[in-house]
Amino acid sequence: MRVFVTGASGWIGSALIPELIGAGHQVVGLARSGASAAALTKAGTEVVHGTLDDLDVLRDAAVASDGVIHLAFKHEIAFQGGFQSAADADRRAVETFGEALAGSARPFVLASGLVGLTPGRVTTEEDGRTPDALPAHLTGGPQTRMGTAHLTLALADRNIRSSVVRLPPTVHGECDPGFMAALVGIARDKGVSGYVGDGSQRWPAAHRIDAAHLFRLALESAPAGSVLHATADQGVPIRSIAEVIGRHLNLRTRSVSPDEAAEHFTWLSGFLAIDSPASSELTRELLGWQPTQPSLVEDLEKGHYFRTDRPA
């Protein structure tokens, strides 16, 4: 297939490119900067210059492709207080892809999130599939983003083989710029490795290579209207994560009260307070996806998150 990928030079996208090329696909990547374009060219992809706001560029690239994988999201804006703006841009992009692919039976795969769908119990692929199933605490930008996932599933009614891959809060691996790196940085800055409350809150997790593999399987064979979970670890207690970080940094581990969490963890505090385990049993049965990479704790124990010379 000729596959158009947004976010192709990002954390998961840069693992997905060799996964797709190795399976015989031709990759076309969206690049919003010269550095991204150079990285994509080096990786063996064709480059389309533009951003998520360039809807005509997105439409033309989708029309010219045999399938689309939409990984890009304006995370840097979302985590600086602009989640609604980021979610709105994502919605417009998906609407554009829907218009471009309607009636073609071609695949469209959307990256979405898992945290907070069913707090306190294990989330399955059957949860949160319809707007009336959304938890009441999801409002604003997060609600809009979940609505975009519902829109993607509904594209199946327009003869698009659409699927949604729900990602855990941490997609880990060497040079990870995300939540684990942020937690290590906060521990260094504060001089203590913390967790919220008793630390029993659970996070699902997956290695980025395993996540990339699932996106390829979704592109190739996920039935229309599929919800897939990229979770290798069903739920790792936050306290366990903090203990590994504390041991590697030679820092004590302690509880941070919910009242102190916002000051201590800043933008991460809300995520850390949610117990959000998730199963991938149905995904594994449907597509034969079997994670092969290290678990989150195993990856942390390798030590690369704690090197002072790791990329920022």
Side-chain angles (χ1 to χ4, degrees), residues 145-228:
R145 193 175 191 197
M146 283 304 305
T148 300
H150 296 144
L151 169 63
T152 298
L153 297 178
L155 293 177
D157 295 332
R158 301 177 66 186
N159 195 22
I160 299 172
R161 187 161 59 78
S162 60
S163 60
V164 172
V165 176
R166 291 175 178 164
L167 293 165
T170 178
V171 179
H172 55 90
E174 192 156 0
C175 299
D176 170 17
F179 284 5
M180 286 302 107
L183 276 175
V184 171
I186 290 169
R188 277 201 175 102
D189 291 343
K190 300 293 185 178
V192 62
S193 183
Y195 51 87
V196 178
D198 65 3
S200 63
Q201 305 91 336
R202 294 160 293 174
W203 269 13
H207 194 281
R208 74 171 185 140
I209 292 176
D210 287 324
H213 182 55
L214 180 56
F215 275 100
R216 176 173 71 81
L217 293 178
L219 173 83
E220 293 174 342
S221 57
S226 298
V227 171
L228 308 167

Side-chain angles (χ1 to χ4, degrees), residues 7 34 42 75 87 89 163 205 239 267 305:
K42 184 178 180 180
H75 289 100
S163 60
R239 181 168 183 167
W267 61 271
Y305 276 98

